[in-house]
């Protein structure tokens, strides 16, 4: 008997044991369970997510038809209700009434993590403001999957920014890219197939031909591809195969090579525009100490030099 057969025979009992251990865990009532679901590969649903979706009284779904496909694959029959961006306010009230009655409610989007560039944040805020517990059930993420395959971050400097979807119109997108490209950290964002070529052209114009870009398509699916190329070569890579313009895309604009040069102290003292932009944004909502801490983690620069620059920016703003 080959190794594959051994795994096949042992899998049901292993899953059963794991499921029994998960079911024995604490499952608070009157709680909202925010559940991450597969981004493409149905096998990525975790044991805990599966049990959560089976145990709750109702599942609030972005698109009940999409979630029904997942349910059919995993043998789930929990009642579904709609909770999408067009009815999120009324869905939140319905969910609050269910929580008041002691029910457990799960929240899912079509793929990945609800409330992260997907509907659900309004529901989560309403539930928290009403004093009910919110339980995250983590799982698949297109952002993390793309970062894992790109090598854009490191344990020495793990910082990155998630920018959501790029703007639709070219002028707005170029302004948006100019702001994000100045950040001394990789920037992850989503793009649709029919705007991909235009966005890559804007990346080339704004970030320059040598700036590295990761193009991740169809993550976790059969035709998954992840390529990292200079911005000057991105269009050629895209056009090398006719199917590469199809599917769902995650793009990563890597940190510029200039940002990694060890001249952070001089840049901070002289007023590096990228650092100033970052500090100004952080100081709008954080204390001086916290802003410096975040900026130092993002840039890897000298803390004392960043502190002096942050203090100067704060005093100028005041």
């Amino acid at each position: 008997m080959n190794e594959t057969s051994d795994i096949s025979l042992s899998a049901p009992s292993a899953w059963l044991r794991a499921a029994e251990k998960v079911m024995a865990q604490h499952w608070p009532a009157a709680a909202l369970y925010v559940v991450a679901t597969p981004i493409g590969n149905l096998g990525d649903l975790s044991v805990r997510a599966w049990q959560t979706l089976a145990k709750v009284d109702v599942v609030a779904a972005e698109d009940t038809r999409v979630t029904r496909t997942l349910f059919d694959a995993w043998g789930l029959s929990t009642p579904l209700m709609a909770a999408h961006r067009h009815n999120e306010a009324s869905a939140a009230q319905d969910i609050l009434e269910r929580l008041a009655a002691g029910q457990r409610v799960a929240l899912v989007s079509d793929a990945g993590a609800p409330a992260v560039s997907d509907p659900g944040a309004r529901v989560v805020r309403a539930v928290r403001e009403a004093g009910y517990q919110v339980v995250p059930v983590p799982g698949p993420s297109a952002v993390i999957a793309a970062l894992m395959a790109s090598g854009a971050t490191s344990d020495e400097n793990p910082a990155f920014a998630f920018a959501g979807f790029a703007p639709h119109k070219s002028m707005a997108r170029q302004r948006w890219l100019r702001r994000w490209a100045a950040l001394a950290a990789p920037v992850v964002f989503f793009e649709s197939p029919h705007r991909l070529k235009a966005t890559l052209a804007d990346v080339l114009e704004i970030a320059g031909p040598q700036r590295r870009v990761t193009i991740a398509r169809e993550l976790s699916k059969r035709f998954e591809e992840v390529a990292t190329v200079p911005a000057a070569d991105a269009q050629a890579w895209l056009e090398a195969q006719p199917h590469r313009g199809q599917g769902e895309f995650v793009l990563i604009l890597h940190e510029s090579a200039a940002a990694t040069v060890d001249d952070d102290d001089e840049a901070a003292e002289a007023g590096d525009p990228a650092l100033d932009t970052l500090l100004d944004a952080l100081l709008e909502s954080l204390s001086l100490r916290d802003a410096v801490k975040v900026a130092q983690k993002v840039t890897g620069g000298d803390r004392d030099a960043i502190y002096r620059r942050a203090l100067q920016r704060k005093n100028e703003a005041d």
Side-chain angles (χ1 to χ4, degrees):
M1 186 177 292
N2 62 37
E3 184 178 350
T4 302
S5 299
D6 290 340
I7 293 173
S8 177
L9 288 172
S10 63
S13 58
W15 266 89
L16 181 60
R17 290 194 301 272
E20 289 174 346
K21 290 181 179 179
V22 172
M23 285 301 291
Q25 296 173 2
H26 178 53
W27 296 87
L32 176 69
Y33 293 79
V34 185
V35 183
T37 55
I39 59 175
N41 192 318
L42 290 172
D44 288 340
L45 189 72
S46 71
V47 176
R48 185 180 174 213
W50 174 48
Q51 293 287 44
T52 301
L53 297 175
K55 190 172 184 65
V56 296
D57 296 286
V58 66
V59 175
E62 179 182 0
D63 187 328
T64 56
R65 296 166 298 181
V66 173
T67 302
R68 178 59 63 193
T69 300
L70 177 69
F71 275 26
D72 290 344
W74 283 90
L76 296 164
S77 58
T78 307
L80 293 168
M81 61 172 284
H84 47 75
R85 58 174 42 92
H86 302 297
N87 79 334
E88 203 167 352
S90 59
Q93 291 306 309
D94 189 353
I95 290 170
L96 289 175
E97 292 174 7
R98 291 175 179 274
L99 296 178
Q103 292 187 12
R104 299 178 180 90
V105 179
L107 177 67
V108 300
S109 60
D110 289 349
V116 182
S117 199
D118 267 338
R122 182 180 293 183
V123 171
V124 171
R125 287 195 298 268
V127 169
R128 292 183 62 85
E129 289 169 2
Y132 294 104
Q133 185 174 354
V134 177
V135 181
V137 182
S141 163
V143 172
I144 299 302
L147 285 168
M148 289 168 64
S150 71
T153 59
S154 67
D155 52 351
E156 293 86 8
N157 184 16
F160 68 91
F162 173 54
F165 278 93
H168 295 186
K169 296 183 178 180
S170 181
M171 291 296 291
R173 186 167 57 242
Q174 289 182 13
R175 288 194 299 269
W176 183 86
L177 281 168
R178 191 170 288 109
R179 183 173 70 249
W180 285 111
L183 191 64
V187 178
V188 186
F189 60 100
F190 297 150
E191 191 50 282
S192 63
H194 62 278
R195 287 194 299 271
L196 184 61
K197 285 187 177 182
T199 295
L200 290 175
D202 286 341
V203 168
L204 175 60
E205 180 176 343
I206 299 302
Q210 297 305 313
R211 190 73 167 263
R212 288 183 302 157
V213 180
T214 291
I215 307 169
R217 63 177 296 269
E218 295 292 89
L219 287 170
S220 83
K221 301 176 184 177
R222 179 181 178 184
F223 297 109
E224 173 184 279
E225 286 187 277
V226 180
T228 298
V229 297
D233 299 336
Q235 294 285 6
W237 180 88
L238 189 64
E239 295 169 1
Q241 299 290 340
H243 63 270
R244 283 182 176 166
Q246 303 168 3
E248 297 179 330
F249 290 87
V250 181
L251 302 181
I252 302 177
L253 182 62
H254 289 237
E255 182 180 0
S256 69
T260 62
V261 176
D262 190 18
D263 60 357
D264 303 284
D265 187 82
E266 291 182 11
E269 296 289 357
D272 177 55
L275 177 60
D276 287 349
T277 300
L278 177 62
L279 287 171
D280 290 345
L282 292 172
L283 288 167
E284 289 181 0
S285 56
L286 298 177
S287 66
L288 177 66
R289 177 182 176 183
D290 288 343
V292 171
K293 183 177 180 180
V294 173
Q296 195 278 331
K297 186 173 182 179
V298 168
T299 65
D302 180 78
R303 185 188 180 283
D304 290 340
I306 293 173
Y307 179 88
R308 289 192 291 271
R309 187 60 186 170
L311 182 60
Q312 181 180 345
R313 300 297 293 181
K314 185 176 186 301
N315 289 338
E316 289 174 358
D318 291 340

